[in-house]
Amino acid sequence: MSINDTYQPINCDDYDNLELACQHHLLLQLTLRSGESLKAEAADLFLRKKVEYLLYKYHGEQHEVRLDAIESFSHPEIGTITITQN
């Protein structure tokens, strides 16, 4: 996904689950639409130029990913969530 691709907002329920994960700094299994999979600590959600991002910690470093680039995420407390776009 290129930075120039038009952002597709995600479903509000999916956003709420990511927000909960950030509030509790949950270690999520993230699967990206690119096929990449990683375990990362959810840190924060933010908006930049009308695009929503997840800030996460991976191997001690902070990274960010567009929410529409996430295919799914999971954690034992919230189960597996497959992201749907609006």
Side-chain angles (χ1 to χ4, degrees), residues 43-62:
D44 199 8
L45 295 171
F46 66 95
L47 183 69
R48 182 189 310 128
K49 296 182 181 179
K50 300 182 183 180
V51 176
E52 297 168 308
Y53 292 87
L54 169 67
L55 180 67
Y56 63 91
K57 295 179 185 175
Y58 182 69
H59 293 292
E61 295 184 14
Q62 289 189 340

Side-chain angles (χ1 to χ4, degrees), residues 10 13-19 21 28-31 54 70-75 78-83:
I10 67 170
D13 290 336
D14 299 339
Y15 185 94
D16 290 345
N17 282 311
L18 278 173
E19 190 170 45
L28 299 177
Q29 178 67 44
L30 293 171
T31 303
L54 169 67
I70 302 171
E71 183 174 305
S72 66
F73 61 95
S74 62
H75 184 274
I78 57 176
T80 299
I81 309 291
T82 301
I83 299 284

Side-chain angles (χ1 to χ4, degrees), residues 34 46 65-66 70:
S34 67
F46 66 95
V65 63
R66 283 171 48 149
I70 302 171

Side-chain angles (χ1 to χ4, degrees), residues 1 7 31-34 65-71 85:
M1 176 173 298
Y7 179 70
T31 303
L32 305 181
R33 296 191 188 280
S34 67
V65 63
R66 283 171 48 149
L67 298 190
D68 62 348
I70 302 171
E71 183 174 305
Q85 297 174 340

Side-chain angles (χ1 to χ4, degrees), residues 8-28:
Q8 298 296 316
I10 67 170
N11 177 289
C12 290
D13 290 336
D14 299 339
Y15 185 94
D16 290 345
N17 282 311
L18 278 173
E19 190 170 45
L20 176 68
C22 291
Q23 289 172 350
H24 296 281
H25 302 282
L26 297 180
L27 185 61
L28 299 177

